[in-house]
Amino acid sequence: MKAFYAEEQKRHDPKAFLSSGASQPNPEKPERIERLLAGARSAGCPIERPRDHGLGPVSAVHTPEYLDFLEHIFERWQRIDGASAEVIPNIHPIARTGSYPASAVGQAGYHMADTACPISRETWQSALWSAWSAVEAAETVMAGAPAAYALCRPPGHHAFADVAGGFCFINNSAVAAQVLRKQAARVAILDVDLHHGNGTQGIFYARPDVLTVSLHADPVRFYPFFWGHADERGEGTGLGYNFNLPLPRKSADAAFLEALGVAFQRIRSFSPDALVVALGLDAFEGDPFGGLSVTTPGFSRIGEAIAKLGLPTVIVQEGGYLCDELGDNLTAFLTGFGGKAR
Ligand SMILES: [Zn+2]
């Protein structure tokens, strides 16, 4: 299958984030791209550059004020005396009210969920190109390819319609799903990242046309804490179209594949016309986040199992952090998947 990626995606290079209150090197490094590119090449994927798709597909899932914030906040931040080099929030609304602040500091708190998504001069362009890789992969599948892979970095699944968070700015999986909706009456998103896809859930929570399913480490003791529980099922006409499968910490291949089987039952009963896989590789046993214990051969079996759904599939890269096996895990997934569908 084809893979999509643009050089501009490397420019975003966040320096730090707070972990348990301590400043740590930000793990969402540009080097991830090199490992993932190598992994995609090993799986036999030709790498292609996406086209510039403009703001249309991004504004289909994000609010105008949020996109304006992402584009301009870095410049505005530089005009504040004594401000940090990267945009990092220090105040948040506990609950949203009707008021929208005019100040850069207020807007940073309004639009950024946590400190893991610092914004620098290059962030906006990198995030846009990352989203355009997802758009290109979705259009490739709409043109008849059985599957395509978008090497999206920065990742996207923690970004809501108007909030960045957890290394994410533009929700690439949601963008891909919304593009697919031009042809597909129903689209399912299956998120296998270690962390709950809270932004994706939020974007589609009240909609019955996009089913969101997420397997992840139980948020009762794990990021993103406030979302990802089994009782979050959607709202309004979207009630029943969100499905969370929280897993106990350190769950390994057998437990993950069993939960995947439960996810497939829900997806089959939804009868989607296309699938987006939000492919986090951080469920790996050797990932620095250490939440679950999926093995490299496990990713191959996961890919194979998903391919058996037989749906036109856009695979969107989410998490998965620097460790020796990062590229191998992508190769394993894509090879497992492609054994059926490439
Ligand atoms: Zn993750």
Side-chain angles (χ1 to χ4, degrees):
M1 74 178 79
K2 286 183 179 177
F4 296 97
Y5 151 76
E7 200 67 16
E8 288 86 345
Q9 294 174 225
K10 270 187 206 161
R11 294 186 187 159
H12 169 66
D13 187 8
K15 301 304 177 202
F17 82 128
L18 292 180
S19 179
S20 307
S23 184
Q24 301 282 354
N26 194 302
E28 207 288 280
K29 295 186 188 309
E31 191 188 340
R32 293 180 62 239
I33 286 177
E34 304 302 339
R35 309 286 186 95
L36 294 166
L37 276 176
R41 286 196 183 100
S42 293
C45 300
I47 314 288
E48 293 187 14
R49 181 180 169 82
R51 290 164 294 170
D52 172 341
H53 290 275
L55 284 182
V58 171
S59 58
V61 297
H62 291 287
T63 66
E65 70 188 10
Y66 175 62
L67 294 176
D68 186 70
F69 165 84
L70 283 182
E71 185 173 1
H72 299 294
I73 188 63
F74 179 77
E75 272 170 58
R76 294 168 60 203
W77 198 258
Q78 302 316 299
R79 296 199 286 267
I80 303 171
D81 268 349
S84 52
E86 299 175 305
V87 180
I88 297 176
N90 55 267
I91 179 168
H92 302 276
I94 291 288
R96 294 282 190 89
T97 62
S99 67
Y100 184 64
S103 95
V105 172
Q107 287 180 11
Y110 190 91
H111 289 303
M112 298 167 84
D114 50 52
T115 60
C117 45
I119 295 173
S120 65
R121 190 181 303 282
E122 310 289 356
T123 302
W124 169 243
Q125 282 297 319
S126 285
L128 261 187
W129 282 100
S130 186
W132 290 338
S133 288
V135 174
E136 201 73 44
E139 291 195 346
T140 300
V141 167
M142 286 163 69
Y149 168 66
L151 201 175
C152 292
R153 184 277 166 182
H157 73 152
H158 296 307
F160 288 73
D162 65 351
V163 178
F167 316 137
C168 300
F169 304 93
I170 296 174
N171 193 314
N172 309 306
S173 292
V175 168
Q178 191 63 34
V179 169
L180 289 170
R181 277 286 286 105
K182 289 180 195 169
Q183 272 186 10
R186 286 181 303 280
V187 176
I189 302 177
L190 173 63
D191 189 320
V192 297
D193 189 279
L194 164 64
H195 304 96
H196 174 242
N198 55 337
T200 316
Q201 168 174 308
I203 287 170
F204 297 111
Y205 207 56
R207 286 173 51 171
D209 57 326
V210 178
L211 172 72
T212 44
V213 178
S214 182
L215 281 71
H216 46 266
D218 193 331
V220 73
R221 289 186 181 277
F222 207 70
Y223 186 92
F225 303 109
F226 312 113
W227 301 271
H229 304 278
D231 61 353
E232 296 159 21
R233 301 183 53 246
E235 65 184 13
T237 56
L239 185 61
Y241 296 91
N242 185 78
F243 188 37
N244 286 329
L245 288 154
L247 298 165
R249 286 286 286 277
K250 303 292 181 189
S251 291
D253 295 353
F256 200 96
L257 285 158
E258 190 183 330
L260 203 56
V262 178
F264 290 165
Q265 285 174 19
R266 180 67 192 95
I267 291 170
R268 285 201 182 92
S269 69
F270 178 65
S271 185
D273 305 291
L275 177 71
V276 174
V277 179
L279 178 63
L281 297 167
D282 43 5
F284 179 52
E285 58 182 350
D287 187 90
F289 282 98
L292 294 175
S293 301
V294 173
T295 65
T296 301
F299 283 113
S300 180
R301 293 171 66 191
I302 291 167
E304 194 177 336
I306 293 172
K308 283 183 184 155
L309 286 169
L311 291 163
T313 300
V314 180
I315 300 164
V316 175
Q317 187 65 48
E318 297 287 355
Y321 299 91
L322 291 180
C323 57
D324 290 345
E325 299 86 349
L326 178 57
D328 296 342
N329 290 338
L330 178 60
T331 306
F333 179 90
L334 293 174
T335 306
F337 186 95
K340 172 110 172 96
R342 183 165 45 178

